[in-house]
Amino acid sequence: MHSLRTLSWFIASLLVVGCATMTAVEMEQRFGALEPRERVVDVLPAGAVDYWRDIKPIVEARCIVCHACYDAPCQLKMSSIEGIERGATEARVYDAARLTAAPMTRLFEDARSVAEWRAKDFFPVLNEHADTPQANRDGGVMHRILRLKAQNPLPDTRQLPKSFDLSLDRKQFCAQPGTFDKFANKHPLWGMPYALPGLADEEQNTLLSWLEAGAPYTARPPLAPGFVAEIDIWEAFLNGDSLKARLSSRYIYEHLFLAHLYFPALSDSQFFRIVRSATPPGAPIELIATRRPYNDPGVERVYYRIDRAIGSIVAKTHMPYALDAARMDRWQALFMDADYEVDTLPSYAVKTASNPFVTFDALPVRSRYKFMLDEAQYTIMTFIKGPVCRGQAALNVINDNFWVFFINPDDPKLEILADFLSTRQKQLTFPASSEDIYRPIKYWRQYAAQQKTLLAEIDAYLADHLAGGAIMNPDLNLVWDGDGTNDNAALTVFRHFDSATVEKGLVGNPPKTAWLIGYTLLERIQYLLVTGYDVYGNVGHQLLSRVYMDFLRMEGEMAFLQLLPQEARNRERNFWYRDAEKEVTQYMTLPRFESESVPDIDYRTDNEKLELYGMLREHLKAVLPDRYAMTAIRSTAARESIARLNGLTGLPANLMPQATFIEIAGPSGNYYVTLIRNNAHLNITSIFGEKKFRKPDEDTLAVVPGFLGAYPNAFLLVNEIELDRFAARVTALRTEGDYTRLLDDYGIRRTNPNFWRQSDAFHSAAQEQLGFEFGLFDYGRFENR
């Protein structure tokens, strides 16, 4: 019966879309030539659909969940009206086979008008023929693709047919105005929202009415006077005339250019960004758009300005950063009042600008480190949520779950090592300073030799400048405790195969690995994966960045291992790097200076790593947040039931998605948990062929109260009284069929008519839980199982 109904819909769809095909030439003959138009109006007619009031909420809830940021299909970025006007292109931002760097297509930066985007091969999704209702209907891709979905709803099946390609690197079919009929005839079921239920009638009619009217909108209102005054204060601070102030502001900008800045005293929902401008405060911003934030600005004096962040906030890129009086006082103390001199400003030559130890050598190293530690979650988050982290090829350099700790900024090695590194430019060549390359294995060996030389020189340098003590016999005081007040002191990273999440605190079960990061390592990762990374770069640059990160990850792991006794250190290292190449394991035993250290920590069990985790938890207890603690589930019975899945290992865990959002219906209201699957590996040193090193029988599940992750893979609904049964069902999973039946009973699939209602419920609950940290989820990885 279902198959006959699907066939009927298919035949009907062909009749509907195939009866009135028009070529691009015919459309021009009928509606006039394509030409970008001005859509901003001073006043809307009475009763007209208003973009800000009526359209934007629908677009946010139904469109942006797939069309935002660099991974928006066809680069159709719908998180702002400017993105909708810009339209789409067949060019990809993420292209694993790109041999030369791609032209940059950053919205608001690399073109300033719709006409300029057309010159960069973006085509319209709004009608740009004559402004008539008929032309706006038949000449606009957005209008037609919404109608296509209404005419051809999803087939009445649990799972979508294989004709729906949901892979991240699927072939793009970017429907254009003059070829839309061909697209619709070939793919009648591919209306928007793609591979999801169509819109409710009211939403559909509202959108279509707006599009038929020519998609007009009124200009954004100007910023409220309070924001303008606050921006003036901050721009004055960031644009002091002294060399010390100018160098400090350059350092701040190169670390915060991805941040969503906000003024908590005024609002936690209006965000801004720091930009480089050719014009000083008080004048309109003249944006300096360069490939990297440290590239030559081409002007004599750079000004650091605070600009409004335009567009809806999405979880996958949202990194909030508060600017308040306490922050300004902190930066004043760290950078402006500190006792040091700046004689000359560093150049923007790539070889030196890509190396922060050279560029910012004059700035006090403790000031730099404390600046990064103050918001360590943001710092680590930029590695994860920055453009580098789209795709498995970038993220397979980290384990699926690990904890991050930081070396105390009072560590006596800090200034000595920073001074040392500022003289080692040759040993600190970053991928951003290299030419395009095509032989990553060669560079692995080159970096290995480079790092071995560097570590040996560090051995000798520290031996000359320090006695043993805290260096040869580290204790827990080596680990930063957040000064007793800062909850950034410990972080948890969850990798969800091709995306990742960073949270404050020690979330979930004790992980396999952990990192201990000091200033020099933190800064190198920053300039490798954030400041120096080019998402538009060629395959050589991207692979080289991954190769380099291998050594930085190992350095963080080695530092953590120094807190363990030698025997436990060797045991853990061998477990973390099972079946790794011999040269990798040899590298992990370096340097000699560190390998001879004996920690001054009283271990009393034969599971030293777990014992160390416990001691670190006690060491940091004053600053560990409890948002994701299991006690956040108030019902004791419910907590005990769902906790049965915490740490579940092997095949049941392997059959579950990477990230599952669960709504639990309780007698006093609904609450939410996230199930995270952590993939196990023999090691993660291979650039290619990750599957070869997978260890599915060691996969684990983690239960996290609330919402964790930007890319949910599945939605489940469970009644609290069913939690015991549900946990038993998950524990008993043995086949894909078992999981399918689990979804039959509890799941909200892509094809479920209630999908959007459930999406709204999750978004509403997440916004209540996360507050200013909230961003819209992305459904680009939602499964079809």
Side-chain angles (χ1 to χ4, degrees), residues 215 278 296 397 610 627 688 761:
D296 191 337
V397 74
L610 187 62
R627 171 192 285 176
F688 306 108

Side-chain angles (χ1 to χ4, degrees), residues 92-101 169 438 537-540 542-543:
R92 291 177 178 267
V93 174
Y94 297 105
D95 183 354
R98 185 163 55 219
L99 296 181
T100 58
D169 295 318
Y438 309 96
N538 80 326
V539 62
Q542 296 177 20
L543 286 175

Side-chain angles (χ1 to χ4, degrees), residues 24 85 102 159 198 228 242 257 315 326 328 375 402 424 467 486 493 521 545 570 606 694 722 726 760 763:
E85 282 198 282
Q159 297 180 25
V228 174
S242 70
F257 69 99
M328 186 176 289
E375 298 293 341
F402 57 95
R424 294 304 191 272
N486 193 326
V493 176
L521 177 56
S545 298
N570 293 336
D606 57 3
R694 281 278 286 113
E722 290 249 339
F726 169 75
D760 292 341
H763 273 130

Side-chain angles (χ1 to χ4, degrees), residues 460-728:
Y461 196 83
L462 289 176
D464 288 344
H465 289 78
L466 287 171
I471 305 305
M472 299 301 292
N473 306 107
D475 58 22
L476 293 181
N477 291 321
L478 180 65
V479 180
W480 181 52
D481 66 357
D483 302 320
T485 59
N486 193 326
D487 61 1
N488 285 272
L491 304 173
T492 298
V493 176
F494 288 102
R495 172 193 166 199
H496 321 293
F497 183 64
D498 49 25
S499 66
T501 304
V502 185
E503 297 295 342
K504 292 179 181 178
L506 303 178
V507 182
N509 305 310
K512 173 183 172 182
T513 65
W515 298 10
L516 179 59
I517 299 179
Y519 166 69
T520 58
L521 177 56
L522 195 60
E523 197 76 274
R524 278 179 287 160
I525 300 176
Q526 168 78 28
Y527 276 76
L528 173 70
L529 297 183
V530 186
T531 313
Y533 188 81
D534 179 12
V535 69
Y536 294 92
N538 80 326
V539 62
H541 165 71
Q542 296 177 20
L543 286 175
L544 190 53
S545 298
R546 191 263 181 242
V547 168
Y548 195 104
M549 184 59 201
D550 232 5
F551 294 98
L552 301 189
R553 183 203 67 248
M554 287 190 282
E555 188 172 326
E557 291 173 340
M558 285 191 293
F560 176 79
L561 289 174
Q562 299 312 307
L563 296 174
L564 293 174
Q566 186 67 51
E567 182 179 346
R569 193 181 306 164
N570 293 336
R571 184 174 65 245
E572 290 297 330
R573 181 167 49 237
N574 292 337
F575 182 61
W576 296 359
Y577 287 88
R578 287 172 288 174
D579 292 357
E581 296 289 339
K582 185 177 180 181
E583 57 190 327
V584 174
T585 55
Q586 288 176 337
Y587 177 82
M588 281 292 290
T589 63
L590 295 172
R592 174 195 59 78
F593 193 91
E594 294 291 343
S595 65
E596 292 178 358
S597 67
V598 178
D600 187 14
I601 299 174
D602 184 18
Y603 287 99
R604 301 185 178 185
T605 73
D606 57 3
N607 190 340
E608 294 91 343
K609 183 182 72 175
L610 187 62
E611 193 175 354
L612 177 58
Y613 282 153
M615 287 187 282
L616 288 170
R617 189 183 289 276
E618 180 66 20
H619 180 65
L620 300 169
K621 66 180 181 180
V623 297
L624 292 179
D626 58 4
R627 171 192 285 176
Y628 294 114
M630 289 299 291
T631 51
I633 300 175
R634 295 179 182 177
S635 166
T636 302
R639 183 167 62 246
E640 291 175 351
S641 295
I642 198 72
R644 292 167 54 188
L645 301 178
N646 220 354
L648 184 65
T649 303
L651 187 57
N654 179 256
L655 286 167
M656 292 295 291
Q658 295 285 328
T660 304
F661 288 174
I662 304 178
E663 179 179 283
I664 301 174
S668 58
N670 297 352
Y671 53 99
Y672 303 85
V673 300
T674 303
L675 283 186
I676 300 293
R677 185 183 95 207
N678 296 314
N679 289 353
H681 301 79
L682 293 168
N683 68 77
I684 52 168
T685 61
S686 176
I687 298 175
F688 306 108
E690 180 180 0
K691 288 184 178 179
K692 183 171 63 174
F693 296 96
R694 281 278 286 113
K695 201 76 170 68
D697 60 320
E698 295 178 6
D699 288 358
T700 61
L701 278 186
V703 179
V704 181
F707 294 92
L708 190 146
Y711 297 90
N713 305 115
F715 291 162
L716 301 179
L717 301 181
V718 184
N719 194 295
E720 189 176 273
I721 61 175
E722 290 249 339
L723 274 178
D724 276 333
R725 181 172 176 268
F726 169 75

Side-chain angles (χ1 to χ4, degrees), residues 208-264:
L208 294 182
S209 296
W210 177 66
L211 294 168
E212 288 172 14
Y217 63 95
T218 54
R220 285 183 180 81
L223 284 174
F227 287 115
V228 174
E230 196 69 24
I231 288 171
D232 287 345
I233 293 170
W234 277 96
E235 288 188 344
F237 176 82
L238 291 168
N239 291 286
D241 291 328
S242 70
L243 297 184
K244 180 188 286 190
R246 291 171 67 179
L247 183 61
S248 298
S249 293
R250 176 175 171 179
Y251 184 82
I252 291 168
Y253 165 73
E254 289 187 14
H255 288 74
L256 297 186
F257 69 99
L258 291 178
H260 280 152
L261 308 171
Y262 69 100
F263 305 112

Side-chain angles (χ1 to χ4, degrees), residues 1-14 155-156:
M1 189 66 167
H2 288 316
S3 60
L4 287 175
R5 192 164 14 192
T6 301
L7 180 60
S8 298
W9 273 114
F10 183 74
I11 294 172
S13 69
L14 291 180
D156 187 12

